[in-house]
Amino acid sequence: MSRRDVAPVPPPPGGVLWSLAGDIRMLLTLPAALTMQVAHPAVGAGVDEHSVFRTDPWGRGERSLRSVQLWVYGGEQAAEEGRRLRQLHKTIQGTDATGRRYHALTPAYYAWVHATGYPVYAHAQQYIGRPFTDAQHRKLYAEWLQVGRILGINDRDMPATIEEFWPYYRKVLADEIRTNVVVEELVATDRPVPAPGRGPLLLRLLLRALWPVLLPPFARFRRFVTIGFMPPDAREAIGLDWTDEQERKLRRFGRVVRAVVPVLPERLRYLPLARKARAEFRRSPHS
């Protein structure tokens, strides 16, 4: 049986991603990765023309989060989720702002969407967790490549090592990355965002009533974490300002997060799929 015939498997229990991806702190990093992704003209055009992020941002976010969790904690469902995503993206094509034709599954574009996760995880960890050792960096990158195989990304389309990753990353920043209408919307503090439509009815009604008051601070916080947890060279490439005062505020925020989250019970610290997978692993004869 060839490697092509073997379904890719998720990263192993006990690895770096196993501890990282399901931790609630990682919710803070998702806006930064998403904004870096859509700053690529082809990806931004695809999201602008085909995504429901404007009309159903909460539903879209929930589905994206569940997908990420399945890549790491889904077991046999991980490969199935990878196939589902590729099928979903087969019809996404058009012309980007540079006049270039794009298709969502063009290897370079699809690989960039996946690649953004590694530098964002690595950068954010300096604030809201313990900075990675060199060995952890290498393990995380190897596991991220493993996740890429679940998504159908060929090894030839992603740098094989960290040493090869950073020149690739800097070249994409220099040659491709720029602001666009989707980036501007994701970091805006004055755009309408519908109230969350998930959860118990009473909570939804309460949020809907309070949303005019809650939206402005929420939008400011979203912008703060989006830019703050984005690597500085990506901020510069996109043209996002970040001041020394904001950096000090982010470090203070990070100290609070590092103090509070690790002492939370597991049911509050980890997302549902991660909790389930961790519990099943502890009950297994291999744990």
Side-chain angles (χ1 to χ4, degrees):
M1 182 180 291
S2 70
R3 179 174 173 180
R4 185 181 295 273
D5 298 323
V6 178
V9 297
V16 179
L17 270 176
W18 182 262
S19 299
L20 191 68
D23 190 305
I24 59 171
R25 286 175 283 189
M26 293 306 103
L27 294 173
L28 295 167
T29 70
L30 295 179
L34 174 60
T35 304
M36 286 172 61
Q37 292 164 13
V38 302
H40 190 293
V43 182
V47 171
D48 185 29
E49 296 170 5
H50 298 276
S51 175
V52 297
F53 82 98
R54 294 184 179 96
T55 56
D56 185 24
W58 303 100
R60 199 251 188 205
E62 182 181 320
R63 292 187 293 274
S64 297
L65 180 60
R66 176 175 171 77
S67 188
V68 172
Q69 297 296 291
L70 283 171
W71 306 343
V72 179
Y73 304 105
E76 294 180 357
Q77 289 181 279
E80 180 181 335
E81 176 64 9
R83 290 190 293 269
R84 185 192 71 83
L85 286 174
R86 290 189 69 84
Q87 185 65 34
L88 182 69
H89 286 82
K90 277 186 176 180
T91 60
I92 298 177
Q93 57 187 309
T95 303
D96 68 23
T98 69
R100 178 177 56 189
R101 293 289 300 172
Y102 72 85
H103 190 288
L105 293 179
T106 297
Y109 308 157
Y110 205 57
W112 171 251
V113 170
H114 181 58
T116 57
Y118 171 68
V120 169
Y121 272 153
H123 178 66
Q125 190 70 5
Q126 301 175 68
Y127 298 89
I128 55 178
R130 293 182 178 180
F132 295 129
T133 65
D134 184 65
Q136 287 173 320
H137 270 291
R138 293 179 182 281
K139 189 171 179 61
L140 173 60
Y141 187 71
E143 292 177 356
W144 203 237
L145 291 180
Q146 198 168 341
V147 169
R149 296 181 192 114
I150 289 171
L151 299 176
I153 297 172
N154 292 317
D155 287 353
R156 65 176 178 270
D157 296 321
M158 283 285 291
T161 65
I162 289 179
E163 287 79 10
E164 295 171 5
F165 175 81
W166 292 114
Y168 151 80
Y169 167 76
R170 287 190 288 269
K171 180 172 174 54
V172 176
L173 291 184
D175 295 349
E176 297 281 2
I177 299 308
R178 65 200 70 181
T179 193
N180 55 48
V181 294
V182 181
V183 169
E184 290 169 1
E185 288 185 48
L186 291 177
V187 299
T189 59
D190 59 351
R191 305 291 176 89
V193 177
R198 299 294 192 274
L201 176 61
L202 183 60
L203 177 61
R204 282 183 280 138
L205 292 174
L206 183 63
L207 284 171
R208 189 180 304 168
L210 295 176
W211 197 237
V213 176
L214 296 176
L215 177 56
F218 166 77
R220 290 192 295 270
F221 179 74
R222 181 185 62 177
R223 178 183 173 89
F224 176 68
V225 296
T226 298
I227 303 176
F229 290 131
M230 187 181 295
D233 47 4
R235 283 184 213 138
E236 183 177 354
I238 298 172
L240 297 170
D241 293 329
W242 186 251
T243 67
D244 291 343
E245 175 56 33
Q246 287 172 313
E247 179 68 18
R248 288 190 291 270
K249 186 181 296 185
L250 184 65
R251 292 188 179 279
R252 290 195 297 270
F253 174 69
R255 285 195 291 271
V256 173
V257 172
R258 287 199 308 271
V260 171
V261 174
V263 300
L264 293 175
E266 184 160 315
R267 68 180 184 277
L268 297 178
R269 179 177 173 182
Y270 286 95
L271 297 166
L273 280 174
R275 287 201 310 272
K276 180 181 177 182
R278 290 166 66 87
E280 289 176 351
F281 179 68
R282 286 194 295 267
R283 291 194 297 267
S284 74
H286 305 290
S287 59

